[in-house]
Amino acid sequence: MNRKGWHKVLILLLCIVMACPSTILLSKEEKAQAATATLNLPASITATKLNVRTKASRTATQLTASKTKVSLLQGTKVTILSEKTVNKEKLYYISFKWEGKTTKGYVLSDYVKLTLKDSVAAKVNSSTKVKIRKAAGSTTYLKVSNKTISLANKTKLTITKEVTKKDVKYFCVEFTYSKKKHTGYIEANKVLFTPPVVEPERKPIDTGKVTTNNLRVRVGAGTTKEQMVDSSGAKVYLSTGAKVTIYSVTEVSGMVWYEVDFTHNDKVVTGFISGDYVKLDSEEGTDEDTPNDDPSTENPPKEDPKPDDNNPGGDTPGDDSSTETPTEPLSDAQFEQMMVTQGFPESYKPYLRSLHSQYPHWQFEAYHTGLDWNTAVTKESVVGKNLIPNSKNISWKSMESGAYKWATDSFVVFDGSTWVTASKEIIAYYMDPRNFLNPQGVFQFELLSYQEQYQTLNGLENILSGTPMAGTNYTYVDEEGVTQTKTYAQTFIDAAKYSGVSPYHLASRVKQEVVTSSKTFSTSATGTVSGYEGLYNFYNIGATHSTVAGGAVANGLRYAKNGTTNAANNALYLIPWTSPYRSIVGGSYVIGSTYIKRGQNTIYLEKFNMTPTSTYSHQYMANVQAAWSEATKTFAAYSSMDSVPIVFSIPVFLNMPDTPASLPADRLNPNNWLKTLKVEGFAITPSFDASIEQTYGLIVDASTDSIVINATATSKKATVNGAGRVSLNVGSNEVVISVIAENGDKREYKLNVIRLSE
């Protein structure tokens, strides 16, 4: 059974389980238990001597144990089980040790103090709104926009400590008000603790192991959910081989997500991870390949792979003049028949004919994805999946929810400081193979296996031209302690021999990832990053994108240092990458085993995964232009292609439009929102909300014959009409404030002003 089929089975099983109340839903008994759940809060007695009562009342009979009336001395440790308010007095139901036995009873809460190690969930308990003090006992209250904060009954609180001032107990609490977090103090008698929720029994439905490194753990299912952080504030990742227990399966935007338990910092925690990167234990024995090849029968080379028997002199592959003669080119008639046999659509054929006439030795294969074109574009258009620089025209950038903020006229950054979500139109353009059936663009469809007949040192130097690697030697100390000298071009040939991956592809990938100028690398490839000195990551493997400064680089260098949890894999990958050699050669094996050998064997398929395995995910590059960019660099590597039989595997989709997707035309900014709307000296009703085209109200007295309206647009490219000084007639006056976006779109906000008569 393939992975998609297995996911469907898991989802079906989950649905069956959820339909059974006895296993998932709370029973009546469990609900009752949840309603009276114990608090179990640690505390101590503050009174010199405190009587314990049998009921929740100051006047109730004093508790007797072993014929002795029970009174607790100052400092006695107790556990608060529940609380109850009687005649405006709060009492705690507590447990404690009395003559070696656990005993329970009621005491006045005024004489019990929490001894908190962690914060406590609570809520406001008051029939009227409660003001929040700046300090315990203070008469100064918290304010927002000069308005005193007042919390309604049942507002959620988090208690962080307890303070007593002038015999009055206060809790220091954290809470959310106006979408922001605040901290202040509230009288303890106006607060109720929130009992812990009794969770239903969770039953695992499978177990498995993670198959990739630096896998994000999220707080919910889907790429739009935040990444989980631990108690130290660090983001949580799982490494290759990490064991997980699966409790539920969810499909979000065509992607399968698992709710899993796993061990992190010696604790079992729960989170959500992509199902594409989990090998289920129940799949063992199936015929589906795992993402990484089994390395157990292979041995990594030493720092410098030795020449093989077919090349005893150590000559570079491709420099041998006795290479095989390329296959004879097809005639025009044979080429036409080939396109029919391969099943290329008519819309592909004019471009392929042109390429054949220029490069008759080139060979073209149709890769039939079996995927619907529109569905594939939609799946690739999920917010945050494909990125584009913010400097591009607005038509290239997504304005979907989560990608664009109308209230601030800004695009959400998903990587670095400039990378935002690409628009569906530009994604379709770069996904459409027909747009790149030209001599440069077609190289994103080149098969990425090592072709030693025509991938040569000279070709590599062409690729490396204009970079710090062009004709450049570097030195490193191998594992035998011997200082070695290599050129970068020779290093890529060694990497190709080791991994079976095209050296042109490897060199182009490095140019894409870490070359910043003709003389410089990005910090990933310098070995000088603080905390990661002497480590290199030329392919940026594991450098998951992050908006934290240096985040992606640090993630990549962490991988360069630690690799995966699989020791055999790390040996194959030459982890740690303590030299350019180890990084380039070892990293090539990662690329070969985790992408090319699992079917993503062209630059296009690495960027847009249209293979049956992890379709639409497990994609190497976020930059939507990356495949085209690398293709142009690869094309430049071939000094002569007249007789080179390069093989191109070109994707074909179902239900493609007759004409290729076009570049979206430049568009003007459509933002026509107001940022602010105020009337000098007056407050409008309701409070201004830029997202709603609604009518606001204002009543002025008879002496007010005009008002001054201040209104600003969210976008600097929009214009505002209707603001300024406005004369008022007695009675109702409707004022229309319109915002005209740069593209001409108009949005109206109305203000109904009533001027009273004498």
Side-chain angles (χ1 to χ4, degrees), residues 298-339:
E298 301 185 54
N299 295 311
K302 295 183 182 291
E303 296 287 345
D304 189 358
K306 304 304 181 197
D308 58 31
D309 294 339
N310 295 324
N311 192 16
D315 294 335
T316 303
D319 289 346
D320 186 353
S321 58
S322 63
T323 55
E324 294 181 13
T325 303
T327 58
E328 290 299 317
L330 299 176
S331 67
D332 289 346
Q334 290 172 324
F335 189 78
E336 290 295 325
Q337 183 58 48
M338 178 279 300
M339 290 193 292

Side-chain angles (χ1 to χ4, degrees), residues 682 699-707 725 728-730 754-758:
F682 299 95
I699 300 175
V700 300
D701 57 30
S703 63
T704 304
D705 59 2
S706 67
I707 56 174
R725 183 171 292 279
L728 300 176
N729 297 319
V730 174
I754 298 176
R755 179 185 175 189
L756 300 176
S757 59
E758 294 290 350

Side-chain angles (χ1 to χ4, degrees), residues 637-680:
Y638 290 92
S639 57
S640 175
M641 292 178 283
D642 292 342
S643 59
V644 178
I646 306 173
V647 180
F648 300 95
S649 178
I650 303 168
V652 175
F653 296 84
L654 302 175
N655 304 316
M656 296 188 75
D658 293 335
T659 57
S662 59
L663 277 172
D666 285 355
R667 292 202 304 262
L668 300 177
N669 192 312
N671 194 303
N672 55 9
W673 283 29
L674 274 181
K675 183 179 182 180
T676 60
L677 176 60
K678 297 179 180 179
V679 178
E680 290 186 5

Side-chain angles (χ1 to χ4, degrees), residues 24 34 41 103 141 157 239 264 268 309 335 360 428 451 467 496 518 531 540 562 613 639 648 653 692 706 746:
I24 295 296
L41 301 177
T103 307
Y141 298 95
L157 307 169
S239 301
H264 180 73
V268 176
D309 294 339
F335 189 78
Q451 306 294 327
T467 76
S518 62
N540 269 337
N562 301 318
T613 304
S639 57
F648 300 95
F653 296 84
I692 304 175
S706 67
K746 186 177 181 180

Side-chain angles (χ1 to χ4, degrees), residues 467-621:
T467 76
M469 299 177 285
T472 304
N473 293 326
Y474 66 91
T475 60
Y476 65 97
V477 178
D478 67 18
E479 58 187 21
E480 304 294 337
V482 178
T483 299
Q484 302 282 357
T485 300
K486 284 277 186 181
T487 65
Y488 282 100
Q490 182 60 57
T491 302
F492 284 111
I493 291 292
D494 290 348
K497 293 168 64 178
Y498 179 45
S499 65
V501 179
S502 160
Y504 289 3
H505 173 58
L506 297 174
S508 298
R509 175 60 50 81
V510 167
K511 285 182 66 174
Q512 178 83 14
E513 294 292 338
V514 300
V515 171
T516 55
S517 75
S518 62
K519 298 183 181 299
T520 59
F521 293 114
S522 69
T523 52
S524 297
T526 61
T528 60
V529 174
S530 177
Y532 300 95
E533 291 86 355
L535 291 168
Y536 302 80
N537 193 334
F538 275 76
Y539 303 105
N540 269 337
I541 295 171
T544 51
H545 56 252
S546 169
T547 56
V548 178
V553 171
N555 289 340
L557 292 178
R558 192 177 298 115
Y559 184 94
K561 180 179 181 180
N562 301 318
T564 74
T565 57
N566 187 311
N569 275 354
N570 285 343
L572 284 169
Y573 301 161
L574 306 185
I575 296 291
W577 292 336
T578 51
S579 68
Y581 190 90
R582 291 181 72 92
S583 176
I584 293 171
V585 176
S588 74
Y589 200 95
V590 178
I591 293 172
S593 62
T594 58
Y595 286 90
I596 295 167
K597 292 182 180 179
R598 58 182 274 162
Q600 291 174 260
N601 57 357
T602 66
I603 298 173
Y604 181 95
L605 292 177
E606 287 188 350
K607 173 68 200 89
F608 302 112
N609 184 10
M610 302 300 154
T611 72
T613 304
S614 305
T615 313
Y616 310 125
S617 62
H618 192 260
Q619 298 179 163
Y620 191 92
M621 303 156 277

Side-chain angles (χ1 to χ4, degrees), residues 730-748:
V730 174
S732 181
N733 300 262
E734 184 180 75
V735 183
V736 178
I737 299 93
S738 61
V739 185
I740 302 174
E742 183 188 29
N743 72 347
D745 288 352
K746 186 177 181 180
R747 186 180 181 89
E748 291 185 344

